C-alpha cells in the first residue's frame, strides 16, 4: 500500500514505502508483492492479480470515514479470515520504545507503563480488542508453525550468526541476505541472545521485543534455516562443533566484549572461519526507536483515533445484535 494511503487511513507508518516492500518480500510465505495496492481491497484488484480470495486477520480494518475496507470482497464471498495472534501488537511495541526502562517486559502493571498503554491503546469509551495492549504468550505450536523443520543436507555450507535481532527490520534482512549469498547452498543458523544478555550490552530498555517475539520474527525470514533460542554470547568451540559450522559471520556493527572483557568471536577468529559481512544498509534498531520518539504525539493521536473508530463499530454491532434479539422476542410473543 502507498505511503499516502497508509498515512490517510492509519496514521504515520514507522517504515518507508521501500522498506516495507523489502520486509514483506523477505517473509518466507510470500510469493509476490503488489506495490501501491489500494487501501480498500476491491474485486477489481483481486481479478487483476488472479487472486482467488483475500485474507485478513480477525481484527477489523477501517477507512478514514469508518467503513470496513473488505466490505466488497466479503459480500462477494471472496474473503477468508485468520485468527489474529494474541499479544502481538504494534501499539504495545511503540509503548515499550517510549518507556525507557530496562524491565518493561515484566512491568506490565506499573503505573508508568499503564500511562503508555492508555495513550497508545485506549479511547475515552473503553478498550478495543484490536488496538489495545496485550501480552504475547509463546507456545510450542507457534514455533512449529514458523520453523522450517529442515536439517542441513550434504553439501550445505552451515553459517552461524548471532545477535539480538530486535525489532526485526530490513537492516537485518539485508545482512542475512548478504550472508546467504556467501554460498550456493547456505544453511543459516541465527543465535538469539536472551533478553538479559541483550540488555547487558545494549543497555537502556533493550531489547524492545522479548526472546519469544524475536524468535518468531527471525524464523519468518526466508534466509534463515534455524534459530538457537538463548545462544551463548561467546561463540564457543562446543557450539561450532555441535552445529558443524563452516562459517561465522558478523555485520559491521560494534562487537561488545563478553562479561570478562574477552572477544566473543575469539574462537572462530583463531580458526579462520570468521567473516565480516557488509549489508550495505545503515538502518539499526536505534534508528527505528528514534523515529518513534520523534513522532510520538502523531502515534498517540493515530492509535486513539483508530480505537475510537473501532469502538464505534463494536457499539453498532452490539446494537444490531440487540435489535435482532428484540425482533425474535417479539415474533415469539
Amino acid at each position: 500500500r502507498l505511503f499516502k494511503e497508509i498515512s490517510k487511513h492509519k496514521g504515520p507508518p514507522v517504515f518507508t514505502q521501500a522498506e516495507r516492500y523489502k520486509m514483506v518480500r523477505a517473509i518466507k510465505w510470500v510469493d509476490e508483492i503488489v506495490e501501491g495496492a489500494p487501501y480498500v481491497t476491491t474485486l477489481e484488484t483481486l481479478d487483476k492479480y488472479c487472486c482467488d480470495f483475500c485474507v485478513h486477520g480477525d481484527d477489523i480494518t477501517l477507512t478514514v470515514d469508518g467503513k470496513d475496507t473488505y466490505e466488497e470482497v466479503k459480500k462477494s464471498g471472496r474473503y477468508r479470515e485468520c485468527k489474529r495472534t494474541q499479544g502481538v501488537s504494534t501499539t504495545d511495541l511503540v509503548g515499550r520504545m517510549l518507556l525507557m526502562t530496562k524491565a518493561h517486559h515484566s512491568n506490565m502493571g506499573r503505573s508508568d507503563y499503564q500511562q503508555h498503554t492508555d495513550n497508545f491503546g485506549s479511547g475515552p469509551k473503553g478498550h478495543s480488542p484490536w488496538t489495545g495492549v496485550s501480552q504475547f504468550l509463546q507456545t510450542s505450536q507457534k514455533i512449529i508453525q514458523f520453523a522450517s523443520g529442515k536439517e542441513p543436507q550434504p553439501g550445505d555450507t552451515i553459517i552461524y550468526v548471532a545477535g539480538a535481532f530486535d525489532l526485526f527490520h530490513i537492516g537485518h534482512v539485508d545482512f542475512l541476505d548478504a550472508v546467504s549469498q556467501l554460498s550456493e547452498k547456505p544453511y543459516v543458523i541465527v543465535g538469539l541472545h536472551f533478553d538479559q544478555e541483550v540488555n547487558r550490552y545494549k543497555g537502556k530498555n533493550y531489547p524492545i521485543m522479548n526472546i519469544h517475539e524475536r524468535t518468531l520474527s527471525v524464523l519468518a525470514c526466508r534466509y534463515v534455516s534455524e534459530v538457537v533460542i538463548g545462544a551463548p554470547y561467546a561463540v564457543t568451540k562446543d557450539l561450532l562443533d555441535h552445529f558443524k559450522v563452516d562459517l561465522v559471520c558478523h555485520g559491521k556493527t560494534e562487537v561488545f566484549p563478553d562479561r570478562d572483557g574477552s572477544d566473543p568471536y575469539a574462537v572462530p577468529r583463531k580458526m579462520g572461519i570468521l567473516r565480516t559481512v557488509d549489508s550495505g544498509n545503515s538502518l539499526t534498531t536505534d534508528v527505528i526507536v528514534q523515529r518513534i520518539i520523534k513522532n510520538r504525539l502523531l502515534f498517540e493521536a493515530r492509535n486513539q483515533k483508530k480505537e475510537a473508530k473501532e469502538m464505534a463499530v463494536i457499539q453498532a454491532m452490539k446494537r444490531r445484535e440487540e435489535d435482532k434479539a428484540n425482533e425474535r422476542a417479539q415474533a415469539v410473543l
Side-chain angles (χ1 to χ4, degrees), residues 218-287:
V218 174
L219 280 173
C221 180
R222 65 172 69 251
Y223 307 118
V224 175
S225 305
E226 180 64 289
V227 168
V228 180
I229 304 171
Y233 187 66
V235 182
T236 64
K237 183 71 163 57
D238 286 343
L239 183 148
L240 298 176
D241 289 343
H242 178 83
F243 291 108
K244 298 179 174 59
V245 174
D246 298 302
L247 282 177
V248 176
C249 296
H250 191 275
K252 303 201 81 173
T253 55
E254 182 182 0
V255 176
F256 297 93
D258 205 347
R259 292 175 186 271
D260 60 1
S262 63
D263 175 11
Y265 290 95
V267 172
R269 194 185 306 277
K270 187 176 180 180
M271 294 172 63
I273 61 171
L274 181 65
R275 301 286 185 276
T276 299
V277 176
D278 185 359
S279 69
N281 192 318
S282 61
L283 185 68
T284 64
T285 303
D286 291 321
V287 171

Side-chain angles (χ1 to χ4, degrees), residues 87-326:
V88 177
S89 166
T90 304
T91 300
D92 189 14
L93 291 176
V94 170
R96 294 182 205 174
M97 286 182 235
L98 293 167
L99 185 70
M100 298 301 285
T101 170
K102 292 184 179 181
H104 55 85
H105 297 308
S106 58
N107 286 345
M108 298 299 189
R110 277 176 38 164
S111 59
D112 52 353
Y113 186 86
Q114 190 58 48
Q115 179 63 46
H116 282 286
T117 66
D118 288 345
N119 287 345
F120 280 83
S122 67
K125 297 182 180 179
H127 291 274
S128 163
W130 303 306
T131 299
V133 172
S134 55
Q135 194 167 6
F136 175 73
L137 296 175
Q138 182 70 286
T139 65
S140 59
Q141 190 58 42
K142 282 196 182 84
I143 294 176
I144 290 169
Q145 289 172 349
F146 278 67
S148 68
K150 296 179 181 177
E151 295 186 354
Q153 300 300 308
D156 285 356
T157 300
I158 302 176
I159 307 172
Y160 180 78
V161 302
F165 291 89
D166 197 15
L167 292 177
F168 195 74
H169 52 74
I170 62 161
H172 298 132
V173 168
D174 283 342
F175 168 69
L176 292 168
D177 183 11
V179 165
S180 69
Q181 291 184 38
L182 294 176
S183 168
E184 289 186 7
K185 294 181 62 182
Y187 188 92
V188 179
I189 301 174
V190 176
L192 288 179
H193 302 142
F194 276 131
D195 299 340
Q196 297 90 334
E197 191 67 63
V198 175
N199 186 254
R200 178 188 68 80
Y201 62 81
K202 290 274 289 184
K204 297 180 183 178
N205 63 331
Y206 294 109
I208 304 300
M209 299 173 74
N210 65 40
I211 185 68
H212 306 301
E213 295 163 326
R214 290 185 285 122
T215 297
L216 296 191
S217 296
V218 174
L219 280 173
C221 180
R222 65 172 69 251
Y223 307 118
V224 175
S225 305
E226 180 64 289
V227 168
V228 180
I229 304 171
Y233 187 66
V235 182
T236 64
K237 183 71 163 57
D238 286 343
L239 183 148
L240 298 176
D241 289 343
H242 178 83
F243 291 108
K244 298 179 174 59
V245 174
D246 298 302
L247 282 177
V248 176
C249 296
H250 191 275
K252 303 201 81 173
T253 55
E254 182 182 0
V255 176
F256 297 93
D258 205 347
R259 292 175 186 271
D260 60 1
S262 63
D263 175 11
Y265 290 95
V267 172
R269 194 185 306 277
K270 187 176 180 180
M271 294 172 63
I273 61 171
L274 181 65
R275 301 286 185 276
T276 299
V277 176
D278 185 359
S279 69
N281 192 318
S282 61
L283 185 68
T284 64
T285 303
D286 291 321
V287 171
I288 295 170
V289 172
Q290 288 307 312
R291 289 181 186 179
I292 295 289
I293 292 172
K294 181 181 177 182
N295 295 295
R296 173 180 176 169
L297 295 179
L298 288 174
F299 281 109
E300 286 184 354
R302 163 209 180 268
N303 281 5
Q304 289 176 356
K305 185 177 179 180
K306 180 173 180 281
E307 184 160 38
K309 287 192 295 182
E310 290 170 355
M311 289 304 298
V313 170
I314 290 171
Q315 293 301 322
M317 291 167 64
K318 285 182 178 178
R319 285 194 295 271
R320 282 199 296 269
E321 288 300 316
E322 289 171 359
D323 290 343
K324 288 180 182 178
N326 290 333

